[in-house]
Amino acid sequence: GAGVSQSPRYKVAKRGQDVALRCDPISGHVSLFWYQQALGQGPEFLTYFQNEAQLDKSGLPSDRFFAERPEGSVSTLKIQRTQQEDSAVYLCASSLPTSGRGDTQYFGPGTRLTVL
Amino acid sequence: DQQVKQNSPSLSVQEGRISILNCDYTNSMFDYFLWYKKYPAEGPTFLISISSIKDKNEDGRFTVFLNKSAKHLSLHIVPSQPGDSAVYFCAASDSGGSNYKLTFGKGTLLTVNP
């Protein structure tokens, strides 16, 4: 079956522009996560959805970042008025989840955002 | 404050030998640990995981060891192959926090030389 897909794979934006990044999770996966990965760092949590409900947005760095998953499948991460410090790879991951102790999250290829 | 630490930015190993990648964590609430492998321009790929109720999990050439008292885990790859060359990330989650978000280390670049 298909894995997690993300589009676009690369995005160049001028400072101040708005961008929208799309994630298609694995079919049937209830949980969806967004992470931000800066150069030379590990991925850092941004936000989490269970179906259409955004249960945790504690990692969003500012109110310029907004995520949605209106029908519980595809998700969009929107960044308004982009700044140079927003330049990073944005990773989407999905998981079933199983009940109990932990889930394996499956990642998409990421969108590399460069803000000039 | 980094809760998951991979103190070796890089590791070089000869083909056929053992690769040992290390990871330390500080949050005692973490109870599920994963290793991901990442090639350039791709997303992280899940390799192996371990729950805190175990101290070892094995899958083919990959074995993860967990030492809870030391808050330390390691990934062993035996035998190492050139195709294993990639960045390896250690990640942890607190399932009691009920959102399963992962906290990652900074990664270790493994190079396996033919």
Side-chain angles (χ1 to χ4, degrees):
Chain A
V4 178
S5 61
Q6 293 185 245
S7 60
R9 290 294 313 277
Y10 303 91
K11 177 69 180 177
V12 178
K14 291 184 180 178
R15 190 160 53 97
Q17 276 185 333
D18 297 349
V19 298
L21 312 180
R22 177 187 167 107
C23 172
D24 282 86
I26 294 172
S27 177
H29 277 196
V30 168
S31 298
L32 185 145
F33 301 80
W34 285 98
Y35 292 84
Q36 180 190 60
Q37 185 176 17
L39 194 62
Q41 304 294 314
E44 292 194 359
F45 170 79
L46 293 177
T47 187
Y48 160 64
F49 290 86
Q50 188 174 89
N51 295 305
E52 68 279 3
Q54 189 175 21
L55 298 185
D56 186 342
K57 53 183 181 179
S58 62
L60 296 177
S62 78
D63 58 8
R64 296 185 295 103
F65 287 71
F66 171 76
E68 60 183 5
R69 193 186 185 198
E71 295 177 1
S73 55
V74 171
S75 176
T76 304
L77 176 66
K78 297 179 180 177
I79 309 173
Q80 297 177 323
R81 304 181 304 283
T82 52
Q83 305 294 316
Q84 283 190 324
E85 61 263 28
D86 300 335
S87 296
V89 175
Y90 290 85
L91 293 163
C92 176
S94 70
S95 66
L96 270 172
T98 57
S99 61
R101 278 197 170 261
D103 304 313
T104 298
Q105 294 181 23
Y106 296 92
F107 284 80
T111 294
R112 179 177 294 278
L113 173 65
T114 303
V115 181
L116 303 177
Chain B
D1 175 37
Q2 248 197 311
Q3 297 187 65
V4 177
K5 299 178 185 178
Q6 294 178 256
N7 291 319
S8 298
S10 63
L11 174 68
S12 186
V13 169
Q14 208 63 29
E15 180 179 6
R17 306 295 288 269
I18 185 171
S19 296
I20 300 176
L21 297 105
N22 293 302
C23 178
D24 297 291
Y25 62 97
T26 57
N27 187 342
S28 57
M29 298 302 293
F30 287 148
D31 60 2
Y32 191 64
F33 304 89
L34 308 90
W35 285 94
Y36 285 85
K37 171 180 176 179
K38 187 180 182 304
Y39 293 118
E42 295 184 12
T45 301
F46 170 72
L47 263 182
I48 192 168
S49 63
I50 188 166
S51 164
S52 60
I53 59 174
K54 295 186 174 181
D55 54 18
K56 176 182 174 181
N57 189 27
E58 192 171 351
D59 183 3
R61 296 186 297 116
F62 303 92
T63 303
V64 56
F65 296 92
L66 175 62
N67 182 335
K68 280 190 298 183
S69 61
K71 293 193 179 68
H72 177 84
L73 63 155
S74 61
L75 174 68
H76 293 210
I77 307 173
V78 181
S80 301
Q81 300 174 353
D84 296 330
S85 298
V87 177
Y88 288 77
F89 289 99
C90 170
S93 71
D94 164 19
S95 57
S98 73
N99 67 7
Y100 305 107
K101 70 181 181 186
L102 297 177
T103 301
F104 283 84
K106 290 188 176 183
T108 297
L109 173 62
L110 173 66
T111 303
V112 180
N113 302 301

